[in-house]
């Protein structure tokens, strides 16, 4: 896709800091956008429809999925999550870079459709750090936390199919490392477009 924006995926176990890292990345690049996913999960306190997620009924979600409206979608912790295709394609066509903060199942679906997508797997320095972060978040019930921890080993099984792994220890280091990855990716020959009149 020469001349197009880069499609960047950030995945990793729940609680590894994806949301914070993505928020920081958005502020660092002038034309980087965060895709807003759709989900059948109910909103948490403070979450805003259209900004945090597009909150949908299962029926609405399945209808959109049936119409091919998602770039990818997957069942996670008993709910459905998906990336609406239209907005992402429009942003990429405008030359904007787009970050998807999605799970490993979705990540591999995207890689299949867009081999040039950049897949970054984020992990905490240790399992105990992950457990601490999840417990400290206070946004999920103990039952929700349990479901998320059970899923961690499955998620880690996908790690080697990603392009990059970044350990999220100190936020600034993590963001800098991802910035370096993206700068290198931007220089890939297949992304190069000869300047007009060269
Ligand atoms: P949460 O319910 O905590 O907001 O998100 C749960 C998981 O769903 C996270 O791992 C998050 O990355 C993933 N997720 C969020 N949006 C999407 C999406 O559009 N597609 C997929 N496959 N996963 C998503």
């Amino acid at each position: 896709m020469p001349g197009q924006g880069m499609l960047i995926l950030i995945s990793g176990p729940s609680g590894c800091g994806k949301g914070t890292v993505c928020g920081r990345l958005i502020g660092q690049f002038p034309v980087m956008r965060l895709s807003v996913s759709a989900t059948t999960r109910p909103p948490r306190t403070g979450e805003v429809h259209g900004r945090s997620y597009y909150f949908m009924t299962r029926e609405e979600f399945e209808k959109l999925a049936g119409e091919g409206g998602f770039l990818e979608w997957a069942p996670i912790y008993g709910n459905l999550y998906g990336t609406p295709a239209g907005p992402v394609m429009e942003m990429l066509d405008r030359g904007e870079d787009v970050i998807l903060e999605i799970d490993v199942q979705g990540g591999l679906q995207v890689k299949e459709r867009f081999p040039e997508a950049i897949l970054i797997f984020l992990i905490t320095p240790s399992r105990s750090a992950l457990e601490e972060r999840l417990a400290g978040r206070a946004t999920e019930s103990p039952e929700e936390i349990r479901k998320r921890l059970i899923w961690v080993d499955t998620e880690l099984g996908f790690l080697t199919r990603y392009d990059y792994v970044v350990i999220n220890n100190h936020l600034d280091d993590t963001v800098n490392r991802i910035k370096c990855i993206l700068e290198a990716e931007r220089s890939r020959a297949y992304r190069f477009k000869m300047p007009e009149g060269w």
Side-chain angles (χ1 to χ4, degrees):
M1 300 196 291
Q4 283 215 320
M6 298 192 292
L7 185 55
I8 304 145
L9 275 69
I10 310 262
S11 301
S14 183
C16 73
K18 297 183 295 273
T20 312
V21 168
C22 288
R24 278 285 292 273
L25 283 169
I26 294 297
Q28 308 261 336
F29 293 88
V31 288
M32 187 166 287
R33 310 275 178 247
L34 193 57
S35 157
V36 178
S37 296
T39 183
T40 61
R41 142 165 110 54
R44 294 186 193 126
T45 313
E47 285 187 331
V48 179
H49 179 77
R51 206 163 71 206
S52 319
Y53 279 106
Y54 293 103
F55 296 100
M56 293 182 175
T57 62
R58 192 168 268 261
E59 203 175 38
E60 288 168 336
F61 191 104
E62 283 172 349
K63 183 168 179 288
L64 191 55
E67 291 164 354
F70 289 118
L71 218 54
E72 60 72 38
W73 66 271
I76 307 163
Y77 317 130
N79 285 300
L80 304 177
Y81 292 76
T83 305
V88 173
M89 298 317 295
E90 283 165 23
M91 290 186 277
L92 290 174
D93 285 344
R94 285 201 297 267
E96 297 167 1
D97 299 330
V98 183
I99 302 189
L100 311 184
E101 187 208 316
I102 65 176
D103 92 311
V104 288
Q105 308 169 79
L108 295 187
Q109 288 177 46
V110 173
K111 191 70 175 172
E112 194 126 301
R113 281 179 76 173
F114 302 96
E116 67 286 1
I118 304 153
L119 270 62
I120 303 174
F121 197 103
L122 202 63
I123 52 167
T124 47
S126 66
R127 183 179 288 262
S128 56
L130 184 70
E131 289 172 0
E132 272 169 36
R133 283 195 203 182
L134 260 181
R137 226 158 58 160
T139 41
E140 289 97 3
S141 64
E143 171 57 17
E144 281 298 317
I145 293 178
R146 203 182 58 84
K147 275 193 212 165
R148 282 154 202 260
L149 286 173
I150 288 172
W151 183 238
V152 171
D153 288 322
T154 310
E155 289 176 299
L156 290 176
F158 287 80
L159 183 147
T160 53
R161 300 174 67 183
Y162 270 60
D163 300 314
Y164 300 94
V165 181
V166 176
I167 297 178
N168 185 19
N169 199 357
H170 301 291
L171 183 60
D172 284 345
D173 294 346
T174 304
V175 172
N176 277 336
R177 192 166 284 253
I178 296 178
K179 276 178 76 178
C180 291
I181 291 170
L182 297 183
E183 290 307 343
E185 283 287 340
R186 205 181 294 286
S187 302
R188 283 209 184 259
Y190 62 75
R191 293 193 205 280
F192 183 70
K193 198 172 164 202
M194 265 312 196
E196 240 170 83
W198 188 94

